[in-house]
Amino acid sequence: MKRYFLRRFLYTFPTLFGVSLVLFFIFNGIGGDPAYQLAGKNASLEQIENLRQQLGTHQSLLHQYKDFLWQTVTLDWGQSWYFKENINSMLLKGLGPSLALTVPSFFFTLLLALSVALSFSYFRSEKSHSLLTWFCLSLMSVSFLTFIIVFQYLFAFKWGLFPINGWSQDFPFVLSFLLLPWFISIIVSVGPDILIYRTLFQEEINKDYVKTAQAKGLLTTQILYKHILKNSMLPILSLLLSRIPQLLLGSLLLESFFGIPGLGGIMIQALQNADFPMVKAITMMSSLVYILLNLLADLLFLLFDPRVELK
Amino acid sequence: MAPIFSSHFKSLGRTPPSIVFAIFCLALFGLITLFVELDLIATDYRVTHYSQVYLPPSFEFPMGTDFLGRDMLSRALHGVSIALIVGFLSAFIATVIGLLLGVIAGFWGGLWDEFIVWLYTTLDSIPSLLLILALSFVLGQGLEHLFLVLGLTSWVSLCRLIRSEVIKQRSLEYILTAQALGVGQIRQIYYYILPNILHIALIQFALIFVYAIKAEVILSFLGLGVEPGEPSWGVIINDAKSELTQGIWWGLFIATTLMFLLIFSVNLITDFMRKKLDPQYHSSH
């Protein structure tokens, strides 16, 4: 067990190294010199030279890579070009609204998808299953952007049930801004989840212990809740754990449409205004968090499932 | 190609009507793309009529006109060809990379395996949306950047699945027999292993295809998709966000409907393939 922990922990270092290489290659390698992009077409050589001094792109690639690594290690990303603010404090500020958007919808989606999948496992007729498949597949076939535009138009603009966009610091009041984004986010993610959970439940239903339980005379509901749900918990858990890192990022589209001041919105503005340090910082920081949380998830999974093979 | 793969298809049995419908839709979309690319239909997608902006659907313009008075139906049909090209080429790039690396890692193992696993673990550690955004951010707009970015970033799960399946197949008796008979390694892969793992690649291809088309819409919204003026569905849907409040619904409607038909068809076929081709996929009925 300890050896597995250690191995898994040590493996994060080559991954970290790889991530830093890939991101450095993207930003400093194929991106060319950002000074040219930033300065625009009519810049003089002097302006470009100034920018290069600021960016550090006049130095050798190795030196630039060293700077990039140093920034990552010290977590010091400096100032955003567009917002003119310290990047770290901006990211911290954006984290709260992003989590307020993603965490509740994550749990609502989980509850809804699990209960739909479980109740359809109770009805085993072929017709109801194809209907459910069709329903989920059609939800998955509409663009996220269409859902947002249409629902915002209908619920907020036309019928005035929710504010069109905005944010507030008071707790109960802020809910009015969050309800519609939560709803859209559930609609978008519930389809594939129902299908995944249903497949997992079906796999369990075909196993022998279910036949034994039926032969013993257990009620179908008992078998579903006590046996099937419990036994499919592990794959579901590993799926959920692998999604936790994404929650931190918030939602690019929802945040920008509903004016939620989270990380997604910051990222969009940074992209649209060619804010290199910001884009770089968000990408690298979230990869760091991703790696850490994945490590944690693997270890947690080990604690939950004694059957995981330790190699 | 190889006899084993075709036997998968023989067991398909009766094709349900929904799949017939899906195949019909895909064929139609394929034809539209062909005709659009050959400049046979929807040739007026760039022609502006400044006196006829935002016309609702009529006999002359079946799906109305946009803010420059361009025929919406022609633009949406052009969107079909852009979507198919982006989806197909992204999925093709990703499948080739994933299949190649997955087979190399799984079959030869050793240092190759270590390197390839390291490579995809690394790519997988960067949130995929951010990776795509960062890449398109530095590459800039354009159709060819779009499928390059989507293809280069979406091969990881395919590669992982192929690798583990190849490792499993490699130790099965038919491969051991082939080895004992002195069949060359390339031949073992091509004639023996590949037919047994191709269904995975096929299903993943379809999944990446759908993923790429959906991603195009989001990237277009962020200004990182096709070049401005090119009528991709993402651009058309994105235009609708300010137009819908003025009652201009036709652009959003036609783009969403066409996209729905395409993705729904592919989803139906993927689901069907999964049930029929994947021996591991259990179904209660």
Side-chain angles (χ1 to χ4, degrees):
Chain A
M1 191 87 157
K2 256 187 199 155
R3 274 189 59 193
Y4 176 82
F5 274 88
L6 194 69
R7 254 182 68 100
R8 182 65 188 78
F9 176 70
L10 287 180
Y11 199 73
T12 52
F13 287 99
T15 314
L16 273 174
F17 172 67
V19 168
S20 72
L21 268 187
V22 169
L23 291 185
F24 180 75
F25 177 68
I26 290 177
F27 286 113
N28 298 47
I30 39 178
D33 200 332
Y36 288 99
Q37 288 183 23
L38 272 178
K41 280 184 186 134
N42 303 318
S44 66
L45 276 176
E46 204 176 322
Q47 280 171 310
I48 289 179
E49 199 46 48
N50 261 334
L51 265 172
R52 295 180 76 186
Q53 294 279 348
Q54 262 184 336
L55 297 169
T57 48
H58 60 291
Q59 279 152 330
S60 72
L61 275 182
L62 198 70
H63 192 99
Q64 288 180 47
Y65 181 63
K66 237 169 54 194
D67 282 351
F68 180 58
L69 276 190
W70 183 244
Q71 277 187 319
T72 312
V73 172
T74 55
L75 298 182
D76 175 20
W77 300 101
Q79 276 221 331
S80 148
W81 289 348
Y82 174 68
F83 300 97
K84 311 273 185 256
E85 240 183 284
N86 182 273
I87 288 181
N88 279 336
S89 66
M90 281 194 67
L91 293 186
L92 270 180
K93 252 193 287 177
L95 194 59
S98 279
L99 288 177
L101 174 66
T102 52
V103 172
S105 39
F106 174 76
F107 284 109
F108 291 145
T109 311
L110 173 66
L111 260 174
L112 186 65
L114 270 185
S115 24
V116 171
L118 208 57
S119 21
F120 269 83
S121 301
Y122 180 81
F123 307 111
R124 296 181 64 171
S125 82
E126 194 164 338
K127 217 170 207 159
S128 64
H129 271 277
S130 342
L131 269 180
L132 183 68
T133 311
W134 280 49
F135 176 71
C136 293
L137 291 185
S138 29
L139 276 186
M140 289 156 69
S141 306
V142 177
S143 169
F144 195 5
L145 205 58
T146 302
F147 273 125
I148 297 178
I149 292 174
V150 171
F151 283 0
Q152 193 178 34
Y153 170 72
L154 284 181
F155 290 107
F157 181 79
K158 201 163 179 200
W159 298 331
L161 298 175
F162 304 100
I164 290 176
N165 62 19
W167 188 252
S168 144
Q169 298 293 336
D170 313 337
F171 166 62
F173 185 54
V174 77
L175 285 179
S176 67
F177 295 111
L178 280 169
L179 282 172
L180 190 55
W182 281 346
F183 177 63
I184 296 173
S185 149
I186 293 168
I187 291 279
V188 173
S189 42
V190 83
D193 282 12
I194 291 176
L195 292 181
I196 296 172
Y197 298 151
R198 192 186 58 176
T199 311
L200 291 175
F201 292 150
Q202 302 289 10
E203 263 169 39
E204 285 299 318
I205 283 175
N206 287 329
K207 285 186 180 161
D208 284 339
Y209 74 88
V210 176
K211 281 192 196 111
T212 315
Q214 275 175 325
K216 257 176 32 181
L218 285 188
L219 292 173
T220 316
T221 43
Q222 272 177 318
I223 299 175
L224 279 178
Y225 287 105
K226 284 211 171 142
H227 298 272
I228 292 173
L229 185 60
K230 261 191 192 163
N231 275 306
S232 3
M233 227 47 224
L234 276 168
I236 294 177
L237 196 74
S238 77
L239 189 76
L240 294 179
L241 283 174
S242 72
R243 285 192 188 159
I244 288 179
Q246 292 167 6
L247 298 181
L248 291 173
L249 274 176
S251 164
L252 242 55
L253 293 185
L254 284 173
E255 284 178 17
S256 101
F257 269 89
F258 289 96
I260 298 168
L263 293 177
I266 296 180
M267 181 72 178
I268 287 192
Q269 280 183 300
L271 284 172
Q272 281 166 349
N273 296 292
D275 192 343
F276 257 85
M278 196 58 159
V279 176
K280 209 149 105 176
I282 293 184
T283 322
M284 193 63 205
M285 286 294 271
S286 48
S287 307
L288 281 180
V289 176
Y290 227 64
I291 293 171
L292 274 178
L293 284 179
N294 274 331
L295 177 70
L296 213 66
D298 272 12
L299 300 183
L300 265 179
F301 195 64
L302 208 66
L303 294 179
F304 280 117
D305 189 6
R307 290 173 305 184
V308 168
E309 243 178 80
L310 302 176
K311 275 190 279 182
Chain B
M1 166 181 40
I4 305 166
F5 190 60
S6 61
S7 71
H8 274 306
F9 282 110
K10 275 182 198 148
S11 63
L12 289 186
R14 198 172 55 87
T15 318
S18 59
I19 300 302
V20 176
F21 165 77
I23 291 173
F24 172 76
C25 277
L26 282 193
L28 192 68
F29 278 119
L31 277 181
I32 291 175
T33 304
L34 187 70
F35 286 147
V36 164
E37 289 305 311
L38 290 176
D39 271 335
L40 291 175
I41 52 167
T43 46
D44 57 342
Y45 76 105
R46 273 186 180 149
V47 181
T48 51
H49 307 273
Y50 288 106
S51 54
Q52 296 170 309
V53 296
Y54 286 140
L55 285 186
S58 64
F59 189 70
E60 198 190 349
F61 301 108
M63 271 299 137
T65 58
D66 72 352
F67 65 100
L68 290 175
R70 295 173 294 196
D71 183 17
M72 207 41 138
L73 185 64
S74 299
R75 294 184 73 71
L77 289 182
H78 253 267
V80 171
S81 114
I82 292 177
L84 277 192
I85 291 172
V86 168
F88 192 83
L89 288 178
S90 310
F92 182 75
I93 294 173
T95 308
V96 168
I97 299 176
L99 203 56
L100 204 67
L101 294 185
V103 167
I104 292 174
F107 193 80
W108 279 290
L111 262 178
W112 280 110
D113 189 37
E114 295 277 341
F115 175 72
I116 290 168
V117 171
W118 171 76
L119 191 67
Y120 72 59
T121 320
T122 295
L123 279 184
D124 218 23
S125 303
I126 305 168
S128 57
L129 183 65
L130 286 186
L131 185 62
I132 292 173
L133 290 181
L135 258 178
S136 359
F137 174 60
V138 293
L139 282 177
Q141 288 176 326
L143 193 64
E144 64 284 1
H145 291 158
L146 202 58
F147 59 71
L148 209 62
V149 165
L150 292 171
L152 286 177
T153 51
S154 51
W155 54 271
V156 171
S157 59
L158 168 71
C159 182
R160 187 176 274 149
L161 287 172
I162 293 287
R163 172 182 170 267
S164 62
E165 191 59 31
V166 170
I167 291 177
K168 211 162 85 191
Q169 298 282 338
R170 196 184 53 181
S171 55
L172 290 182
E173 277 168 355
Y174 76 100
I175 291 296
L176 297 180
T177 313
Q179 278 169 351
L181 288 172
V183 177
Q185 287 186 321
I186 300 296
R187 209 180 153 79
Q188 279 175 39
I189 292 172
Y190 191 74
Y191 281 98
Y192 294 72
I193 293 182
L194 211 54
N196 283 311
I197 58 170
L198 221 51
H199 66 277
I200 299 176
L202 199 63
I203 290 165
Q204 290 292 317
F205 182 92
L207 291 176
I208 300 169
F209 179 86
V210 166
Y211 167 79
I213 291 174
K214 285 171 126 179
E216 184 273 322
V217 175
I218 292 173
L219 287 176
S220 291
F221 164 71
L222 296 171
L224 297 170
V226 292
E227 274 154 46
E230 281 297 306
S232 84
W233 292 338
V235 172
I236 297 175
I237 294 176
N238 189 27
D239 283 342
K241 70 174 187 268
S242 52
E243 294 166 359
L244 202 57
T245 50
Q246 303 157 42
I248 294 149
W249 51 269
W250 39 93
L252 179 67
F253 173 77
I254 183 71
T256 302
T257 310
L258 287 175
M259 186 172 164
F260 179 84
L261 281 178
L262 176 62
I263 295 186
F264 190 60
S265 306
V266 179
N267 278 343
L268 276 177
I269 293 174
T270 315
D271 189 59
F272 183 69
M273 285 198 299
R274 237 188 212 164
K275 273 190 202 139
K276 296 292 175 181
L277 295 179
D278 190 353
Q280 259 105 50
Y281 187 95
H282 297 292
S283 168
S284 69
H285 36 262

